[in-house]
Amino acid sequence: MKVLVPVKRVVDYNVKVRVKADGTGVETANVKMSMNPFDEIALEEAIRLREAGVATEVVAVSCGVPACQETLRTALAIGADRAILVASDAELQPLAVAKLLKAVCAKENPQLVILGKQAIDDDANQTGQMLAALLGWAQATFASKVQVAEGRAQVTREVDGGLDTISVKLPAVITTDLRLNEPRYVTLPNIMKAKKKPLETLQPDALGVDVAPRLKTLKVTEPPKRQAGVKVPDARTLVEKLRNEAKVI
Amino acid sequence: MAVLVFAEHDNRSLKKATLSTIAAAQKLGGEIHLLVAGHGCAEAAKAAAQVAGVAKVLHADAPQLDDEIAENVAALIVSIAPGYTHLLAPATSNGKNVMPRAAALLDSQQISEIIAVEAPDTFVRPIYAGNALATVKSADAIKVITVRATGFDAVAATGGAAPVESLAAPADAGLSRFVGREVAKSERPELTSARVVVSGGRGMGSGENFRLLEPLADKLNAAMGASRAAVDAGFVPNDWQVGQTGKIVAPELYVAIGISGAIQHLAGMKDSRVIVAINKDEEAPIFQVADYGIVGDLFKVVPELVEELKK
Ligand SMILES: Cc1cc2nc3c(=O)[nH]c(=O)nc-3n(C[C@H](O)[C@H](O)[C@H](O)COP(=O)(O)OP(=O)(O)OC[C@H]3O[C@@H](n4cnc5c(N)ncnc54)[C@H](O)[C@@H]3O)c2cc1C
Ligand SMILES: Nc1ncnc2c1ncn2[C@@H]1O[C@H](COP(=O)(O)O)[C@@H](O)[C@H]1O
C-alpha cells in the first residue's frame, strides 16, 4: 500500500510574523521557513505504517515555489521514499492544491493520503476535506489515532465534545491532529542519504489543473493591539479590582 | 436569493455558535434558511423555528445523517446548494469537517473562520495565528463560509416563528461507519460559550493538580480550558485546548494559570474582555496581554484567590 503525504512549506511557528507596511501580506523575506508542523506528524504516521509493514512506500508531495524542494528534502531525510514537487509560482489556495493533489493521486494510486489538519500560515483547514471530496473518498479529519487493517482505517478524531471514532473504507484521506504522534528528529546520516533519493517535478499545466486563485486578498492588516495591564501584589487586590474596576465578577 | 445556515445542535437545542452564525448571515442580505440535519433532531428543528430572523427551517432527519458523517452531510448540503448565494456554518469541529467537502463539490473556494462581513462578497479573517487580518473578496457563485462565533453577537434564540419543511437526505455514501464516542461529561458551562474561563498550563504540573482549579471555577461558574502543553502531557482532555489549533474563546473573564502565553495560545483567547494571568515568571509573555497579573507561585495564589472570592 502506498501512502501519499502532502507537505507545505510555511513560515516557522517560532517566527513572530509581521504585516508588510504596504498591507499586501506578511513579511516572508529572510524569514525562517519550515515544514508545516501538522505535516511532520502526517509524515511520521506514514513512516510508522511502513515500519509496521502496513505501507510499502511513502511519497511526499509539495506544491509551490522551487524552494519547496528544501521541505521535500527534509521529508526524505525524515524517511519518505521519494518526493514530488508540483512547481508553481502562483498563490495556491486550498481548492487549487486539492485539485493538484487529486491529479497526483491519479498518477500514483495511493490507498491513503495523510495531510495536516491545518496549515499554520493560512489557517484554512480545508485541503484534506476538499481532496477527499474531489476523489469521492472517505475522510477522517483531526486524527489522534489511526489503525489500518483489512481495507479500512479506524480513526479516532479530536472533536469539540471529546473523541469520535470512525471506520473508513480505503482509499481514504486522513488529516492529523497534534496528539497523533511525536515526530522523530532528522539525523545527519539521513540528511546525507536523502540527497540521493528521487525528487520529481511536475507542472500544473501538464496535470491539467487551473490554479488561478478564487479569493482576492484586498488587504492585510495588523490586528488591534491589546494594552498590557497592571501587576497586582496579591489575590485580595485582584478580587477587589475584578469586582470594582473591571466589574466582571 | 437566500442564505443557508448549517445549524450545529445536539438534537434538542441549537448550539450558541449557530446563533452567532445567523448574525453573520444577517449581514449578507436575503432570506435566511436554517438547515437542521441529523437523526432524531425534531426538537432542534422546533427550536430553530423560534430563532429571530430565520425565514425557513429545513429539517433533514435520517440515520445516515447521524454522528456528523461528513460524506453524507456534505452531499445533503450540496443537493440544496443551488438555491443559495451563501452557505454558512459555525467554525466548530463539525463545520470544519463538513463545509470544505461541500465547497469542493461546488467548485467553490471556502472562506474559513470569518470575523467580519465587509460586503456580501468580502470578508475579514485571521491568518498566521491571528497575527494578521486578511480582507478577501470571493468571485465564486456560491460562497461557502465558516464563521468564528466570537466575531459576531448571537441573535435571539426566540421571537421567530418560521415554518419547518422536511427534506429528504441522499442515500448513505457507504464510505464511513461511526464506531463510538468518548464524551467528556461535565456540569460546567461549555468552553466556547462560557462567561468565564479558567485555564491551566504546563505549570500545573499534573492532571491531579488541575483539581486545584476546580473550586476557583466553581466560584466563578467558569468553564475549564488548557494550553496545548497541558493537553499533550495528558493532564486534561483534548477538547479543553484553547488556541490557534484548538478552541477560540472570548469570555468576559479569562484566567490563565501557569500558561506562558505562546502566540498559538494567545490566538485562542486574546479577544476576551478581561484577562488575568497568574505566573511565577514575571517575564512571561502572557503578562503583555493580561489586564491584571499576579507574579507568584500558582499553588499559593490560587487557594488565596478562592478564599478571597468567598468573602
Ligand atoms: C502547530 C502548533 C499548534 C499549536 N497550537 C496550540 C494551541 O492551539 N493552543 C496552545 O495553547 N498552544 C498551542 N501550541 C503550543 C504553543 O506553542 C506552546 O508550546 C504552548 O502554548 C505552551 O503551553 P504552556 O504555556 O502551558 O507551557 P509553557 O510554555 O511551558 O509555560 C508554562 C508556564 O507556567 C509557569 N509556571 C510553572 N510553574 C509555575 C508555578 N508553580 N506557578 C506559577 N507559574 C508557573 C512558567 O513560568 C511558564 O510560563 C501549538 C504549537 C504548534 C507548533
Ligand atoms: N501547497 C501545499 N503543498 C502541499 N501540501 C499542502 C499545501 N497546502 C496545503 N497542503 C496540505 O493541506 C493541509 C491543510 O492545509 P490548509 O487547508 O491550507 O490549512 C496541510 O497541512 C498540508 O498537508
Side-chain angles (χ1 to χ4, degrees):
Chain A
M1 176 179 99
K2 193 189 286 184
V3 183
L4 202 72
V5 182
V7 295
K8 187 177 189 187
R9 181 174 182 265
V10 297
V11 172
D12 186 83
Y13 80 97
N14 273 314
V15 171
K16 172 93 184 76
V17 170
R18 284 181 208 292
V19 173
K20 280 190 197 161
D22 65 1
T24 56
V26 305
E27 232 24 282
T28 51
N30 301 318
V31 160
K32 184 179 180 208
M33 305 293 285
S34 299
M35 186 187 298
N36 184 43
F38 287 99
D39 306 354
E40 289 180 11
I41 297 172
L43 191 57
E44 175 68 34
E45 196 65 17
I47 294 167
R48 288 187 192 182
L49 286 171
R50 191 190 58 209
E51 288 168 348
V54 176
T56 48
E57 193 183 25
V58 175
V59 182
V61 191
S62 193
C63 309
V65 294
C68 295
Q69 289 181 47
E70 292 165 22
T71 316
L72 288 170
R73 286 291 166 203
T74 305
L76 294 168
I78 294 171
D81 297 295
R82 53 195 178 82
I84 301 172
L85 170 69
V86 183
S88 171
D89 291 328
E91 179 201 342
L92 297 176
Q93 295 175 347
L95 182 60
V97 175
K99 288 178 182 177
L100 292 172
L101 294 174
K102 180 192 177 193
V104 172
C105 285
K107 285 172 65 95
E108 294 284 340
N109 284 310
Q111 282 294 292
L112 204 54
V113 184
I114 312 182
L115 305 89
K117 83 164 176 181
Q118 172 174 345
I120 60 165
D121 50 2
D122 63 10
D123 283 333
N125 196 333
Q126 299 177 9
T127 309
Q129 298 88 315
M130 287 185 153
L131 175 63
L134 298 177
L135 290 166
W137 292 3
Q139 69 185 55
T141 52
F142 325 145
S144 67
K145 188 173 181 198
V146 173
Q147 286 166 298
V148 178
E150 288 157 20
R152 300 187 76 92
Q154 177 150 318
V155 179
T156 301
R157 309 177 50 234
E158 294 199 2
V159 295
D160 288 347
L163 295 168
D164 269 8
T165 300
I166 60 174
S167 165
V168 296
K169 206 167 166 176
L170 300 183
V173 170
I174 293 175
T175 75
T176 60
D177 217 318
L178 295 167
R179 261 67 61 177
L180 181 56
N181 60 47
E182 225 176 285
R184 69 195 64 188
Y185 289 103
V186 187
T187 61
L188 195 58
N190 285 343
I191 293 175
M192 301 315 287
K193 265 194 251 164
K195 291 188 177 153
K196 297 197 197 78
K197 291 187 182 174
L199 193 163
E200 173 192 1
T201 301
L202 301 174
Q203 305 295 333
D205 283 352
L207 294 173
V209 177
D210 174 10
V211 296
R214 300 294 188 79
L215 293 180
K216 192 171 167 220
T217 301
L218 303 183
K219 65 175 182 208
V220 175
T221 56
E222 294 246 1
K225 278 252 172 337
R226 240 194 129 93
Q227 296 294 324
V230 295
K231 298 230 171 78
V232 296
D234 52 30
R236 167 171 302 183
T237 320
L238 177 62
V239 170
E240 191 272 317
K241 295 256 186 210
L242 291 177
R243 281 195 178 129
N244 304 322
E245 194 173 88
K247 298 191 188 343
V248 73
I249 56 171
Chain B
M1 287 300 264
V3 175
L4 185 73
V5 172
F6 175 64
E8 178 96 15
H9 61 83
D10 61 3
N11 284 342
R12 284 175 300 280
S13 59
L14 298 180
K15 295 274 172 70
K16 191 171 165 222
T18 307
L19 303 176
S20 300
T21 304
I22 294 169
Q26 285 179 335
K27 300 190 188 286
L28 298 168
E31 263 187 17
I32 296 173
H33 297 177
L34 201 51
L35 171 62
V36 178
H39 187 220
C41 57
E43 282 298 312
K46 254 190 230 162
Q50 290 170 29
V51 176
V54 172
K56 185 158 81 177
V57 173
L58 301 171
H59 173 210
D61 218 303
Q64 67 269 29
L65 295 177
D66 209 359
D67 303 314
E68 307 175 356
I69 296 293
E71 296 83 10
N72 297 339
V73 180
L76 170 70
I77 293 172
V78 169
S79 74
I80 56 172
Y84 297 97
T85 55
H86 299 76
L87 311 177
L88 273 67
T92 54
S93 59
N94 185 23
K96 290 174 181 176
N97 187 34
V98 167
M99 295 309 273
R101 188 171 182 108
L105 295 172
L106 296 165
D107 195 33
S108 178
Q109 173 55 60
Q110 175 177 294
I111 308 139
S112 295
E113 297 218 27
I114 64 163
I115 56 165
V117 174
E118 302 267 284
D121 62 355
T122 307
F123 312 93
V124 182
R125 57 178 305 265
I127 53 175
Y128 291 91
N131 279 314
L133 300 178
T135 304
V136 296
K137 186 176 165 122
S138 163
D140 287 322
I142 300 177
K143 293 166 185 55
V144 180
I145 294 167
T146 62
V147 175
R148 182 173 287 192
T150 55
F152 301 88
D153 290 329
V155 299
T158 55
V164 179
E165 215 171 83
S166 290
L167 198 65
D172 182 9
L175 297 171
S176 297
R177 206 165 56 212
F178 182 75
V179 176
R181 178 165 293 158
E182 253 177 70
V183 196
K185 271 191 234 74
S186 165
E187 300 296 307
R188 298 192 187 283
E190 196 272 318
L191 181 53
T192 57
S193 53
R195 211 187 76 86
V196 180
V197 173
V198 171
S199 281
R202 198 197 310 266
M204 296 305 300
S206 70
E208 186 64 26
N209 288 343
F210 258 79
R211 290 264 167 83
L212 190 71
L213 303 186
E214 284 176 7
L216 181 60
D218 287 344
K219 273 274 150 229
L220 296 168
N221 189 26
M224 286 176 75
S227 70
R228 174 192 173 179
V231 176
D232 281 7
F235 298 171
V236 294
N238 63 277
D239 54 311
W240 288 29
Q241 184 182 314
V242 170
Q244 178 190 17
T245 63
K247 286 181 178 159
I248 308 292
V249 304
E252 286 290 299
L253 174 62
Y254 188 89
V255 188
I257 302 171
I259 293 178
S260 62
I263 189 72
Q264 292 85 3
H265 188 77
L266 301 186
M269 45 64 78
K270 71 178 158 59
D271 292 328
S272 305
R273 188 165 82 76
V274 176
I275 297 174
V276 168
I278 300 170
N279 197 304
K280 68 177 181 191
D281 172 11
E282 64 175 332
E283 301 289 324
I286 190 76
F287 288 121
Q288 288 163 25
V289 300
D291 298 281
Y292 302 105
I294 295 186
V295 180
D297 184 353
L298 69 91
F299 295 102
K300 183 170 159 287
V301 176
V302 172
E304 283 172 5
L305 193 52
V306 173
E307 284 311 309
E308 286 298 327
L309 285 168
K310 284 183 186 157
K311 287 182 190 165

